[in-house]
């Protein structure tokens, strides 16, 4: 029986500390369990190695923001997992990004259990993993229905972030969506509320901070991971259940074994009928596909009508009840300028001291 020993690198006896201090504790626990299991590994977060240190040989597998020292010939899909982490004060592990990454990316057919070190309580995480996958699949459907996508540049210091932004913009353009890059630092509900035109947001962050906890009623628009935008915009992406869940945006770029290129414009994948599971309506093909289709031009009636470019921002502005100050040019009488109030808002000169 194969088991993988995972531990919460953020906690040691209820205190936040560095991973280098928790590694001996995890190794000691793994030593006690190795006689009971044929193959037991200890994973470690994929932090940058210290300057001057030698990279281990063979190079460990990096997935879900962690390093897995697999033996030659072994695959991660062969292992079950036992996660040690969490806190008694925070029993809701659905908001734990570290555990969420592992549950979403782990092979659905393999066992996954967790243990809280404060209480010693263990539980099977199969049901929780199913809920998380259903939630992320709902977000993929929201992204497919979206017309305007906000790309949140959550990191500017991780390698290949420029290439990842360019890749995500090309994805949205190919799917007939508009995208805007926003550099806001850490996303908060107050910051994102300033952009009501966006239908969904995509957070481009390091693997250790990819999944943002979304409390009910906090963010007014959902926040997706880059791989979920890939699943919604790339018709060649594998269907749910077969596609891997990738937490590092570098896995989506060319050169990665998980990279799936966009199909050519003449591919039939762009013409596959797609029905929204949220609204129940048939999704139209990308705008560039209908404009390049010679058959659609042949049956276009009323050639005397002028075609205007559709702008999601203009459509959103026209649907708002308040569209800004109304100029009303020529509709108001002309009056002379009068002297206004003097002072500051807390105490004007014409106001009393009381």
């Amino acid at each position: 029986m194969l088991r993988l020993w995972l531990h919460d690198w953020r906690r040691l006896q209820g205190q936040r500390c560095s991973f280098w201090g928790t590694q001996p504790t995890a190794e000691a626990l793994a030593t006690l369990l190795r006689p009971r299991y044929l193959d037991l590994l200890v994973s470690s977060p994929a932090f940058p190695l210290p300057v001057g240190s030698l990279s281990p040989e063979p190079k460990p597998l990096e997935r879900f923001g962690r390093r897995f020292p697999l033996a030659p010939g072994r695959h991660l899909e062969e292992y079950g997992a036992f996660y040690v982490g969490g806190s008694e004060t925070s029993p809701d592990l659905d908001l734990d990004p570290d555990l969420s990454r592992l549950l979403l990316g782990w092979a659905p057919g393999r066992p996954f259990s967790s243990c809280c070190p404060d209480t010693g309580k263990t539980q099977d995480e199969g049901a929780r993993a199913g809920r998380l996958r259903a939630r992320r699949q709902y977000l993929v459907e929201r992204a497919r229905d979206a017309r305007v996508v906000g790309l949140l540049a959550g990191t500017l210091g991780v390698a290949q972030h420029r290439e990842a932004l360019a890749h995500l913009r090309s994805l949205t353009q190919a799917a007939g969506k508009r995208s805007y890059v926003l550099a806001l630092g850490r996303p908060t509900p107050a910051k994102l509320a300033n952009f009501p035109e966006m239908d969904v947001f995509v957070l481009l962050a390091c693997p250790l901070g990819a999944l943002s906890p979304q409390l009910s009623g906090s963010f007014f628009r959902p926040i997706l991971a880059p791989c979920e935008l890939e699943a919604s915009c790339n018709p060649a992406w594998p269907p749910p259940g077969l596609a891997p869940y990738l937490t590092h945006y570098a896995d989506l770029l060319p050169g990665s074994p998980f990279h799936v290129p966009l199909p050519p414009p003449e591919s039939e994948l762009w013409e596959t009928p797609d029905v929204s599971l949220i609204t129940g309506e048939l999704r139209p093909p990308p705008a560039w596909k209908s404009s390049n289709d010679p058959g659609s031009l042949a049956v276009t009636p009323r050639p005397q009508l002028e075609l205007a470019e559709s702008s999601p921002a203009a459509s959103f502005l026209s649907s708002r009840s308040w569209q800004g100050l109304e100029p009303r040019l020529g509709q108001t009488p002309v009056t002379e300028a009068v002297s206004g109030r003097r002072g500051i808002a807390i105490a004007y000169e014409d106001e009393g001291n009381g």
Side-chain angles (χ1 to χ4, degrees):
M1 185 177 185
L2 301 179
R3 284 286 180 177
L4 188 67
W5 179 269
L6 305 172
H7 65 283
D8 190 349
W9 57 273
R10 299 167 302 168
R11 292 178 45 81
L12 180 60
Q13 298 177 355
Q15 297 180 355
R16 186 179 180 90
C17 56
S18 66
F19 166 73
W20 313 113
T22 64
Q23 179 69 16
T25 304
E27 291 288 355
L29 293 174
T31 302
L32 298 176
L33 295 175
R34 280 197 173 95
R36 301 184 56 184
Y37 298 98
L38 299 177
D39 189 0
L40 189 143
L41 306 176
V42 178
S43 73
S44 59
F47 291 143
L49 296 176
V51 179
S53 63
L54 299 178
S55 58
E57 294 293 341
K59 187 177 180 180
L61 175 69
E62 289 194 14
R63 293 285 301 278
F64 324 125
R66 287 179 172 269
R67 294 190 178 97
F68 300 92
L70 295 177
R74 291 293 191 183
H75 301 279
L76 194 60
E77 293 75 15
E78 302 173 354
Y79 288 80
F82 189 77
Y83 179 86
V84 179
S87 172
E88 185 181 6
T89 59
S90 301
D92 190 3
L93 296 181
D94 286 340
L95 303 179
D96 186 351
D98 191 32
L99 180 58
S100 298
R101 283 191 304 270
L102 296 167
L103 291 177
L104 288 170
W106 213 258
R110 304 305 302 171
F112 198 113
S113 302
S114 67
C115 174
C116 177
D118 294 341
T119 62
K121 180 182 177 180
T122 61
Q123 62 180 351
D124 180 51
E125 296 292 346
R128 194 192 308 272
R131 292 196 303 267
L132 286 174
R133 294 190 185 98
R135 168 63 181 170
R136 308 315 291 193
Q137 184 58 32
Y138 167 77
L139 295 181
V140 172
E141 288 295 317
R142 289 288 300 269
R144 287 172 178 166
D145 292 340
R147 299 181 59 189
V148 185
V149 180
L151 304 178
L152 302 178
T155 177
L156 299 177
V158 181
Q160 296 183 306
H161 74 276
R162 294 180 181 272
E163 293 83 351
L165 279 175
H167 176 71
L168 296 181
R169 298 195 68 176
S170 64
L171 276 177
T172 55
Q173 183 179 6
K177 309 178 189 297
R178 298 211 176 188
S179 62
Y180 298 90
V181 179
L182 307 174
L184 305 177
R186 180 179 178 83
T188 61
K191 292 179 181 178
L192 301 188
N194 293 316
F195 304 94
E197 297 84 0
M198 306 299 169
D199 297 322
V200 295
F201 294 96
V202 180
L203 178 60
L204 191 73
C206 66
L208 295 177
L211 293 180
S212 294
Q214 299 188 42
L215 296 174
S216 177
S218 56
F219 292 96
F220 83 109
R221 291 289 188 268
I223 301 179
L224 285 74
C227 72
E228 293 163 351
L229 182 67
E230 181 90 27
S232 63
C233 296
N234 189 349
W237 190 257
L242 300 178
Y245 192 89
L246 308 174
T247 58
H248 195 1
Y249 56 76
D251 294 332
L252 303 174
L253 302 179
S256 168
F258 301 102
H259 173 68
V260 178
L262 286 170
E266 62 275 6
S267 175
E268 297 181 354
L269 294 176
W270 295 108
E271 302 176 357
T272 304
D274 188 15
V275 177
S276 173
L277 299 180
I278 299 178
T279 63
E281 300 177 356
L282 184 66
R283 294 191 183 100
W288 60 267
K289 185 66 178 177
S290 17
S291 62
N292 295 336
D293 189 358
S296 62
L297 296 179
V299 297
T300 302
R302 299 180 183 179
Q304 70 275 10
L305 296 179
E306 296 182 0
L307 297 179
E309 181 181 1
S310 175
S311 171
S315 301
F316 181 84
L317 180 62
S318 62
S319 64
R320 300 183 65 173
S321 58
W322 189 79
Q323 301 178 5
L325 299 177
E326 299 180 2
R328 303 178 63 88
L329 298 178
Q331 302 180 20
T332 55
V334 179
T335 59
E336 295 182 358
V338 297
S339 177
R341 309 178 73 179
R342 300 175 62 88
I344 59 178
I346 195 175
Y348 290 104
E349 292 181 357
D350 57 347
E351 292 180 343
N353 297 331

